[in-house]
Amino acid sequence: MNFPQDLKYTKDHEWVKIDGDIATIGITDFAQKELGDIVYVEVETVGETIEAGEVFGTVEAVKTVSDLFMPVTGEIIEFNEELEGSPEMVNEAPYEGGWMVKVKITGDLPGDLLDAASYAELVGE
Amino acid sequence: MEDQIKKIALNDLHVSLGGKMVPFAGFNMPVRYSSDNEEHLCVRNGVGVFDVSHMGEFFVEGPHALELIQKVTSNDASKLVVGQAQYSCFPNETGGIVDDLIVYKFSDEKYMLVVNASNIDKDWAWVNKYNTMGAKLTNASDEYSLFAVQGPKAIEAVQSLTPVNLTEVKFYHFTVGEFAGVKDVIISGTGYTGAGGFEIYVKNEDAEKVWKAIFEAGKDFDIKPIGLGARDTLRLEMGYCLYGNDITDTTSPIEAGLGWITKFTKDFTNSEAIKKHKEEGVSRKLVGFVMQERGIPRGHYPIVDAAGEIIGEVTSGTQSPSMGVGIGLGYVKTEFSKPGTEIFIQVRNKNLKAQVEKLPLLKG
């Protein structure tokens, strides 16, 4: 499974790419495989400021529905509109076209973000 | 006490095929091999094979076999001819359903009952409790494997494996014959997908041989192993009930739309009360519905009317891989059960419009 080195990860299986004070967020390759075919990504929190660990949206697979958790505290500034019509991008390219939201980071980064190696260990890779 | 998770005969084979194994009804079962959607469409448009060996098989034999079956099941098994199968249920004593099942007639004195894996112990106790007439009962659940070869290309794909003319195995009929060089295989014109095809019951010791022969024969038809995930979306498009979701110990066959398998031509468990239920009408009914707004219904989501008043609850729901929209089954107050009625499904505190539809939800 693929866990890029330049990303940080959460125990809830989100990845976050930090670029200055902007974070791009999605779910990991492990998560998309576990969930199966993603058929709907619902994010209705654009414009809201959400604490790390809180729910910012929902991802629905054919069989399951799961909450999406903020890896960092910040304001949701953009939702990946491509996912409206092509939610399968999350399966096909979880770290590229399958990104979900961009966030303007407002607080300190949480201390429990994992690096690629620690996350791989967490999911037994 | 934690129950031991059982393994089906071909557990290791499924793992080697990339099957994601999950605990289901006390068994480790393949839920998916590649993608739920791909597997679903493979069955709708081509041919796929489910290993559903977790299902339970009871044999009922002897001069009192029919008498027992008539007592415990809702459908009229006296109407069966040899080689015919029948969908039925075990009503309980309090208005609900113990399980749904298929009754197979092998001869006047030999029947097979195929029950849900999750209910094997409960069903076994149930039929034994009512066996005051002394029918011979055998629980053969741990001896049989069951493969559902489903899809419009099912017959073509495996006809070469058997001298039995598969096109002559009609819907809800079966035959016992040679298949993949194995004798006494039960070949049944049943399934749980609405895609056509058949199910084959083989002894566990022959399971691997038969499975491999099916895939060898079906190679040119792009035959694929299919997980329980796609099985659920396939059955839901047809509006087939799943025990534990849509029918339970507290849902009556009449409410569940199973009046057609509830025959008052004979006496059976709780038949007087169910008959009354039918005559007086029921206050809620199981309906199929299709979302008119984007959203995916899931079990236990509230169903509300236009004013937001609760009128029922979703029992099964998914995004239909064939239709590309949310579909589901649920109980609603009877006045909302007519096809065409507008209802709303509460999805994360939003009331999304849906329409009650006739079954099957997927129109041919």
Side-chain angles (χ1 to χ4, degrees):
Chain A
M1 241 174 279
N2 178 21
F3 306 120
Q5 294 294 330
D6 58 331
L7 306 180
K8 297 288 184 195
Y9 300 87
T10 70
K11 292 185 179 67
D12 299 314
H13 311 291
E14 286 86 18
W15 58 262
V16 54
K17 183 180 181 183
I18 296 166
D19 189 3
D21 63 348
I22 302 297
T24 306
I25 294 164
I27 64 168
T28 67
D29 196 20
F30 174 82
Q32 68 80 15
K33 276 207 177 75
E34 284 294 305
L35 291 169
D37 294 321
I38 306 296
V39 290
Y40 193 26
V41 180
E42 186 182 81
V43 173
E44 297 184 326
T45 48
V46 174
E48 292 178 27
T49 296
I50 301 176
E51 296 279 323
E54 299 293 312
V55 173
F56 71 88
T58 309
V59 57
E60 299 218 35
V62 174
K63 300 298 299 171
T64 52
V65 44
S66 307
D67 285 332
L68 295 165
F69 298 97
M70 286 287 272
V72 297
T73 297
E75 183 195 349
I76 310 267
I77 54 172
E78 190 180 346
F79 166 57
N80 181 2
E81 304 281 349
E82 294 287 318
L83 300 182
E84 284 282 346
S86 306
E88 66 278 6
M89 288 298 290
V90 177
N91 296 113
E92 289 164 7
Y95 305 112
E96 307 290 334
W99 68 273
M100 292 174 174
V101 291
K102 288 192 195 297
V103 169
K104 185 167 170 34
I105 303 170
T106 55
D108 293 333
L109 292 181
D112 58 355
L113 289 176
L114 305 171
D115 62 20
S118 307
Y119 180 70
E121 198 179 330
L122 175 78
V123 299
E125 283 290 304
Chain B
M1 195 186 84
E2 189 130 338
D3 285 334
Q4 189 75 29
I5 296 277
K6 286 186 174 182
K7 283 184 180 173
I8 52 175
L10 300 189
N11 182 80
D12 296 352
L13 180 67
H14 296 302
V15 171
S16 76
L17 290 170
K20 178 177 163 57
M21 308 300 282
V22 300
F24 178 84
F27 291 79
N28 257 327
M29 296 299 293
V31 68
R32 182 199 309 143
Y33 299 84
S34 58
S35 134
D36 294 321
N37 280 331
E38 277 172 30
E39 291 171 27
H40 178 109
L41 295 173
C42 173
V43 171
R44 275 277 173 263
N45 303 322
V47 53
V49 186
F50 304 84
D51 186 339
V52 282
S53 300
H54 58 319
M55 300 290 285
E57 294 86 9
F58 302 160
F59 286 95
V60 187
E61 294 171 88
H64 300 292
L66 180 62
E67 193 185 340
L68 172 59
I69 290 167
Q70 290 290 68
K71 180 69 193 165
V72 293
T73 66
S74 61
N75 210 335
D76 190 347
S78 73
K79 299 282 195 280
L80 287 171
V81 298
V82 171
Q84 194 179 6
Q86 183 183 66
Y87 182 54
S88 195
C89 77
F90 299 131
N92 67 20
E93 290 148 0
T94 51
I97 299 172
V98 178
D99 200 4
D100 60 343
L101 73 153
I102 299 178
V103 180
Y104 289 82
K105 181 171 182 173
F106 286 77
S107 74
D108 285 343
E109 295 196 6
K110 184 180 181 185
Y111 295 81
M112 176 171 76
L113 311 181
V114 177
V115 302
N116 283 300
S118 53
N119 293 332
I120 290 173
D121 294 343
K122 180 175 77 165
D123 293 347
W124 181 245
W126 188 260
V127 293
N128 275 282
K129 172 182 163 183
Y130 280 92
N131 187 20
T132 51
M133 56 292 281
K136 184 188 168 201
L137 283 168
T138 313
N139 183 351
S141 302
D142 289 338
E143 292 161 35
Y144 278 91
S145 288
L146 172 57
F147 303 141
V149 184
Q150 298 282 296
K153 293 182 185 164
I155 289 174
E156 223 183 331
V158 299
Q159 180 61 71
S160 61
L161 295 176
T162 177
V164 172
N165 184 344
L166 293 174
T167 55
E168 282 173 13
V169 182
K170 299 295 181 201
F171 193 52
Y172 272 81
H173 285 73
F174 70 99
T175 189
V176 180
E178 191 178 320
F179 190 95
V182 176
K183 289 198 169 40
D184 298 330
V185 171
I186 303 165
I187 305 169
S188 166
T190 48
Y192 192 45
T193 65
F198 49 91
E199 298 183 295
I200 51 178
Y201 298 82
V202 294
K203 288 287 183 71
N204 285 341
E205 55 265 33
D206 299 316
E208 185 166 354
K209 180 181 178 184
V210 170
W211 176 276
K212 287 185 168 163
I214 290 170
F215 279 82
E216 184 60 32
K219 222 169 35 186
D220 293 342
F221 299 87
D222 219 7
I223 199 165
K224 291 202 164 65
I226 311 294
L228 294 188
R231 186 170 170 83
D232 192 52
T233 52
L234 286 156
R235 69 95 192 169
L236 200 43
E237 286 182 346
M238 300 311 291
Y240 298 153
C241 289
L242 173 63
Y243 192 86
N245 285 33
D246 315 304
I247 50 177
T248 69
D249 285 316
T250 60
T251 60
S252 102
I254 306 303
E255 291 171 336
L258 298 179
W260 63 281
I261 61 162
T262 307
K263 300 289 166 59
F264 302 107
T265 47
K266 54 150 199 176
D267 188 42
F268 58 88
T269 320
N270 204 33
S271 55
E272 281 305 312
I274 297 172
K275 192 173 177 189
K276 213 171 141 197
H277 219 177
K278 186 169 190 176
E279 285 164 359
E280 292 176 356
V282 290
S283 60
R284 61 171 187 171
K285 278 189 179 170
L286 185 67
V287 296
F289 61 86
V290 175
M291 299 304 296
Q292 307 296 307
E293 291 185 86
R294 184 153 186 187
I296 304 167
R298 307 284 182 182
H300 305 298
Y301 283 4
I303 304 178
V304 300
D305 64 13
E309 294 295 319
I310 290 184
I311 56 166
E313 188 179 271
V314 177
T315 51
S316 292
T318 191
Q319 168 97 349
S320 158
S322 303
M323 300 151 72
V325 294
I327 60 170
L329 294 174
Y331 284 92
V332 294
K333 289 182 179 170
T334 302
E335 58 266 37
F336 292 92
S337 62
K338 215 177 133 206
T341 305
E342 186 180 271
I343 57 174
F344 295 83
I345 311 301
Q346 210 166 76
V347 181
R348 294 184 285 279
N349 296 319
K350 272 182 297 185
N351 297 341
L352 303 179
K353 198 183 289 180
Q355 185 168 300
V356 175
E357 292 277 356
K358 258 192 196 148
L359 301 179
L361 295 172
L362 177 67
K363 313 296 182 202

